[in-house]
Amino acid sequence: MTALAGGIPRMMRPTHHQNYPRGGYSLEVSTPLGQGRVNQLGGVFINGRPLPNHIRHKIVEMAHHGIRPCVISRQLRVSHGCVSKILCRYQETGSIRPGAIGGSKPKQTSTPDVDKKIEEYRRDNPGMFSWEIRDTLLKDGICDRNNVPSVSSISRTMRCKFGGGAGEDEEDDDEIEKRELEENERRAKHSIDGILGDRCK
DNA sequence: ATCGTGACGGTTGAA
DNA sequence: CGTTCAACCGTCACG
């Protein structure tokens, strides 16, 4: 641990390390949704998970009323770093929702160019099969035999871009939010049901 | 006193 | 099915 005599690169924090005296400082509380913890301000949070929606909402609402971030932080018991982040994001994107967690990068098996071409073929001829697209890619000289994507790769690409063919409908934040709230409630209820009378299977 | 920032330990979910 | 791994999370502490 002492290994970096050579000048700590201005941004390393050898001393911090989230070193709590082991055994617990960060109180643990149980919530319907998992292991909750308590931050320095006394607020409850779940490590690794986004803040609940109503808190996020409250943060932007208070900010909207001209309340300073530091006050919001103390009042809602959310770290100022988090308040700052949520507010920043809200200003940038207009959304209070957290970013998409998890999943793999849409794997770029082909170049963007090829991807574009696939989209184009598909748009011009929606009934086209993946193997036909593959053939066309070769015929048009977009790819050669060495770098042409596999048929399954092409169908994956199309699944991603076209979502299975159905038109994508954009829901506005409110709608998503509402649905999320319901889902949360349902989930919470579920786990309570599970505790009260475990009968599923 | 505030607030931007990045390390950290954590969870998630498509591939 | 289980595993991988890069995305995001909020907290903490520094500056």
Side-chain angles (χ1 to χ4, degrees):
Chain A
M1 221 192 214
T2 23
L4 16 50
I8 292 138
R10 39 194 189 273
M11 216 55 113
M12 280 195 88
R13 227 99 53 183
T15 50
H16 105 316
H17 194 46
Q18 239 140 38
N19 50 15
Y20 297 100
R22 183 209 301 157
Y25 64 106
S26 175
L27 301 157
E28 293 181 354
V29 301
S30 62
T31 72
L33 295 160
Q35 187 76 300
R37 294 162 74 165
V38 178
N39 64 21
Q40 291 178 328
L41 295 144
V44 178
F45 71 100
I46 298 171
N47 199 9
R49 304 263 54 220
L51 237 34
N53 220 288
H54 67 274
I55 303 274
R56 309 177 83 87
H57 216 121
K58 200 126 196 188
I59 289 171
V60 300
E61 194 183 331
M62 288 172 79
H64 204 251
H65 286 193
I67 302 173
R68 306 187 65 190
C70 58
V71 178
I72 297 175
S73 166
R74 283 191 296 255
Q75 201 135 31
L76 298 182
R77 300 174 189 276
V78 172
S79 66
H80 88 262
C82 182
V83 170
S84 169
K85 191 160 142 184
I86 288 174
L87 253 22
C88 269
R89 187 201 295 270
Y90 179 68
Q91 277 196 309
E92 267 172 39
T93 69
S95 168
I96 67 164
R97 314 190 66 244
I101 304 173
S104 300
K105 249 194 309 199
K107 235 169 148 191
Q108 200 72 45
T109 48
S110 46
T111 68
D113 246 16
V114 174
D115 252 29
K116 240 174 158 185
K117 220 59 185 162
I118 293 173
E119 270 184 74
E120 198 180 304
Y121 291 153
R122 177 65 175 204
R123 193 166 27 239
D124 292 348
N125 189 352
M128 211 165 174
F129 292 115
S130 298
W131 63 268
E132 288 178 298
I133 290 177
R134 187 166 182 268
D135 277 1
T136 314
L137 243 25
L138 287 168
K139 203 183 319 167
D140 288 359
I142 309 296
C143 301
D144 59 43
R145 254 196 282 105
N146 298 317
N147 63 12
V148 66
S150 67
V151 172
S152 56
S153 164
I154 291 173
S155 47
R156 194 193 318 123
T157 300
M158 292 195 302
R159 203 165 38 236
C160 285
K161 307 257 190 219
F162 297 91
E168 60 211 72
D169 43 342
E170 272 189 33
E171 306 174 72
D172 43 76
D173 278 357
D174 265 1
E175 187 121 9
I176 293 171
E177 203 178 298
K178 207 166 114 187
R179 188 173 22 119
E180 230 169 40
L181 222 71
E182 282 167 9
E183 200 177 304
N184 256 5
E185 265 170 37
R186 201 173 314 129
R187 232 203 293 185
K189 191 150 184 261
H190 234 162
S191 55
I192 289 169
D193 285 350
I195 292 163
L196 294 180
D198 199 5
R199 213 217 113 33
C200 32
K201 210 193 224 162

